[in-house]
């Protein structure tokens, strides 16, 4: 669901998940494309039609709460920029197009003025995050997974299979060296990727000493799913004005280094986020609004009792990692506070820089058969 912004919303530009340099590049790109079409079609009555086709990829009209225009990043639709009518006019006032007169002659005209006069413009209901991708009359900031579009590099499959075996053994150790725990963890991640519009009413907790692979798992999730947020402090996530940053338009929320104290303070909010399909957020300077809550929490900690929950709490699935892959320095000095990752871990993280290996992981997860998977059938853990 989109933001229910007060109707007295200010008319100035509101940035959404992007920065000035990014939006300036998109503005320049759009202007260059419109100008290029005009110079190539300056004597054609089809000039405006061709320009409008490109323009409508970059600019959308949103009806709710009041009619606004958004300039989107066509390469990442999560990023968009609000414009008023006057701002859009000022941006494009120098762009020319052609106009066909009754006499049959063609004259130059203002592209943006002509576009505003068009009656058949496509007006969208709202901006929304819809992982089901079933709603058609919205600007959907969920556009599938970027990694799905990467071409598989089959000639490296043998190498990737070897790396996959190392990956799954790390996850096996994170899940208490329990094959049922590993299967459950892979099924949970696969379910979120295969059915991103389904809310899973659990959160995953993994605790263990430094270097067992918690950050490695976080890196995997972040690499296959761009709708992921990360934080190192529960207060940062559940503070009144910051929740939207971590749950709005997200499928995974990763919490690092959680402490007993902070989890006790935010226990109720954690429970609500875990189970509720809709949650209320209140970004600073804006009224409260409700969002659809698709995010699955992964919590990682070095502490034995990092999350305060009741023993029979059905929301939590916790694993105590083994120390098989605990961090060692190159000189094996565990007391050195500035430890460097071992060669083993450097190789694992380097492998995750290969987009074709990430596509290999993605394909493995998407091929998991989840017909018999029951999220409530949790593995026995310590």
């Amino acid at each position: 669901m989109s933001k229910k912004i007060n109707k007295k919303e200010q008319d100035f530009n509101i940035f959404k998940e992007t920065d000035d340099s990014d939006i300036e590049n998109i503005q320049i790109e759009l202007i260059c494309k419109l100008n290029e079409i005009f110079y190539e079609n300056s004597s054609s009555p089809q000039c405006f039609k061709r320009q409008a086709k490109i323009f409508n990829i970059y600019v959308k009209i949103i009806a709710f709460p009041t009619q606004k225009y958004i300039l989107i990043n066509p390469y990442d639709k999560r990023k968009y920029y609000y414009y008023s009518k006057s701002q859009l006019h000022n941006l494009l006032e120098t762009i020319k197009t052609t106009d066909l007169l009754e006499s049959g002659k063609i004259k130059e005209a203002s592209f943006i003025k002509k576009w505003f006069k068009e009656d058949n413009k496509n007006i969208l209901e709202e901006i929304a995050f819809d992982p089901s991708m079933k709603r058609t009359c919205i600007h959907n900031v969920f556009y599938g997974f970027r990694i799905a579009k990467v071409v598989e590099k089959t000639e490296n499959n043998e190498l990737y299979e070897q790396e996959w075996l190392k990956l799954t053994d790390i996850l096996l150790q994170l899940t208490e060296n329990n094959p049922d725990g590993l299967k459950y963890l892979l099924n949970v991640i696969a379910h979120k990727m295969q059915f991103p519009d389904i809310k899973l009413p659990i959160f995953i907790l993994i605790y263990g000493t430094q270097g067992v692979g918690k950050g490695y798992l976080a890196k995997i999730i972040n690499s296959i799913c761009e709708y992921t947020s990360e934080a190192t402090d529960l207060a940062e996530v559940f503070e009144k004005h910051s929740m939207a940053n971590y749950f709005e338009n997200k499928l995974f929320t990763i919490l690092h280094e959680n402490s007993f104290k902070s989890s006790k303070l935010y226990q109720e909010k954690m429970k609500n986020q875990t189970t509720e399909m809709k949650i209320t957020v209140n970004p600073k300077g804006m009224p409260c609004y409700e969002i659809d809550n698709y995010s699955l929490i992964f919590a990682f900690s070095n502490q034995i009792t990092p999350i305060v929950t009741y023993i029979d709490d059905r929301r939590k699935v916790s694993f105590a990692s083994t120390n098989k892959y605990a961090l060692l320095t190159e000189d094996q000095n565990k007391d050195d506070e500035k430890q460097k990752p071992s060669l083993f871990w450097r190789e694992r993280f380097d492998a995750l820089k290969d987009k074709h290996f990430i596509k290999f992981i993605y394909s493995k997860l998407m091929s998991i058969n989840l017909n018999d998977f029951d999220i409530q059938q949790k593995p026995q853990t310590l």
Side-chain angles (χ1 to χ4, degrees):
M1 181 175 288
S2 70
K3 296 182 178 181
K4 295 183 177 179
I5 303 172
N6 191 302
K7 288 188 177 182
K8 294 182 179 179
E9 176 188 24
Q10 290 173 295
D11 198 36
F12 54 74
N13 292 342
I14 302 172
F15 238 160
K16 181 66 176 177
E17 293 193 19
T18 187
D19 56 40
D20 289 335
S21 60
D22 182 21
I23 203 66
E24 286 173 4
N25 289 335
I26 298 301
Q27 289 173 345
I28 294 170
E29 181 175 292
L30 173 59
I31 290 170
C32 288
K33 287 186 176 182
L34 294 178
N35 277 329
E36 183 180 356
I37 294 171
F38 174 70
Y39 293 136
E40 292 177 354
N41 301 269
S42 58
S43 60
S44 170
Q46 297 299 313
C47 180
F48 174 76
K49 184 177 180 180
R50 291 166 183 163
Q51 286 175 310
K53 184 177 180 180
I54 293 296
F55 184 75
N56 291 335
I57 294 173
Y58 286 80
V59 176
K60 307 292 182 184
I61 307 174
I62 306 298
F64 180 86
T66 57
Q67 183 163 298
K68 287 280 186 180
Y69 303 89
I70 59 169
L71 176 65
I72 69 168
N73 182 336
Y75 313 106
D76 186 348
K77 294 181 180 179
R78 294 172 299 168
K79 299 178 179 180
Y80 52 88
Y81 197 62
Y82 280 107
Y83 279 84
S84 66
K85 184 175 181 178
S86 62
Q87 289 168 331
L88 195 58
H89 178 274
N90 291 339
L91 175 67
L92 301 169
E93 62 181 344
T94 62
I95 306 299
K96 300 297 183 182
T97 190
T98 60
D99 205 0
L100 182 63
L101 302 177
E102 291 183 2
S103 63
K105 292 184 178 181
I106 294 174
K107 73 168 186 175
E108 284 189 6
S110 165
F111 168 79
I112 194 63
K113 286 182 179 179
K114 189 171 181 178
W115 186 82
F116 279 133
K117 292 178 181 178
E118 287 288 297
D119 294 327
N120 59 344
K121 292 192 287 291
N122 183 25
I123 300 178
L124 303 176
E125 293 176 2
E126 60 179 350
I127 300 168
F129 184 70
D130 176 27
S132 72
M133 302 185 80
K134 293 178 180 178
R135 298 178 63 191
T136 56
C137 293
I138 63 169
H139 172 62
N140 193 359
V141 292
F142 179 86
Y143 52 89
F145 299 104
R146 191 180 296 119
I147 193 63
K149 300 175 184 178
V150 173
V151 178
E152 293 188 13
K153 205 169 185 178
T154 54
E155 62 268 29
N156 285 350
N157 275 1
E158 185 176 346
L159 177 65
Y160 291 157
E161 282 288 356
Q162 294 173 5
E163 190 65 33
W164 171 257
L165 290 176
K166 294 172 183 176
L167 181 156
T168 52
D169 190 60
I170 293 170
L171 300 191
L172 176 65
Q173 303 310 314
L174 287 176
T175 52
E176 304 182 359
N177 198 24
N178 179 352
D180 289 337
L182 171 63
K183 183 178 179 180
Y184 186 87
L185 178 63
L186 289 174
N187 283 348
V188 166
I189 299 173
H191 196 287
K192 202 64 204 164
M193 300 298 290
Q194 293 183 30
F195 308 103
D197 57 317
I198 296 179
K199 173 68 176 174
L200 298 178
I202 60 165
F203 69 85
I204 304 289
L205 166 63
I206 299 177
Y207 56 92
T209 189
Q210 183 181 4
V212 295
K214 303 185 295 293
Y216 177 71
L217 174 55
K219 182 67 175 178
I220 292 170
I221 294 171
N222 229 324
S223 298
I224 60 175
C225 178
E226 57 267 43
Y227 312 99
T228 300
S229 63
E230 294 190 72
T232 56
D233 185 1
L234 288 182
E236 180 185 344
V237 176
F238 292 104
E239 191 274 328
K240 180 179 179 181
H241 296 301
S242 60
M243 283 184 63
N245 296 332
Y246 296 97
F247 298 112
E248 187 175 15
N249 306 341
K250 298 294 185 286
L251 296 180
F252 293 96
T253 301
I254 298 175
L255 310 178
H256 296 279
E257 304 305 332
N258 295 290
S259 69
F260 179 94
K261 180 180 179 181
S262 61
S263 67
K264 186 175 182 179
L265 289 172
Y266 297 102
Q267 181 177 210
E268 198 59 37
K269 285 188 176 181
M270 286 188 69
K271 288 182 178 180
N272 290 340
Q273 192 288 330
T274 300
T275 57
E276 298 299 325
M277 272 300 300
K278 295 182 182 295
I279 56 176
T280 299
V281 294
N282 182 205
K284 200 166 186 177
M286 295 184 65
C288 296
Y289 58 91
E290 198 175 60
I291 63 171
D292 293 321
N293 175 29
Y294 298 102
S295 190
L296 171 67
I297 289 180
F298 271 78
F300 301 132
S301 181
N302 295 339
Q303 300 184 37
I304 297 176
T305 56
I307 302 291
V308 181
T309 53
Y310 298 109
I311 294 175
D312 62 348
D313 191 344
R314 293 172 296 171
R315 302 172 181 87
K316 176 169 67 75
V317 182
S318 61
F319 297 102
S321 174
T322 73
N323 289 332
K324 179 177 178 178
Y325 293 107
L327 183 66
L328 296 175
T329 63
E330 291 176 325
D331 60 5
Q332 306 299 303
N333 181 7
K334 289 186 178 182
D335 295 326
D336 183 359
E337 292 184 359
K338 297 181 179 180
Q339 297 181 64
K340 296 180 180 179
S342 65
L343 176 61
F344 173 83
W345 280 120
R346 290 203 303 273
E347 289 176 343
R348 301 292 74 73
F349 279 95
D350 284 346
L352 296 182
K353 296 176 183 177
D354 181 352
K355 66 180 181 181
H356 298 289
F357 179 54
I358 299 301
K359 177 59 180 284
F360 185 87
I361 298 172
Y362 171 82
S363 298
K364 285 279 191 182
L365 293 170
M366 297 303 285
S367 66
I368 293 177
N369 188 332
L370 297 170
N371 289 340
D372 298 325
F373 176 54
D374 182 355
I375 194 72
Q376 297 300 340
Q377 292 296 315
K378 302 173 186 176
Q380 292 293 320
T381 60
L382 296 178

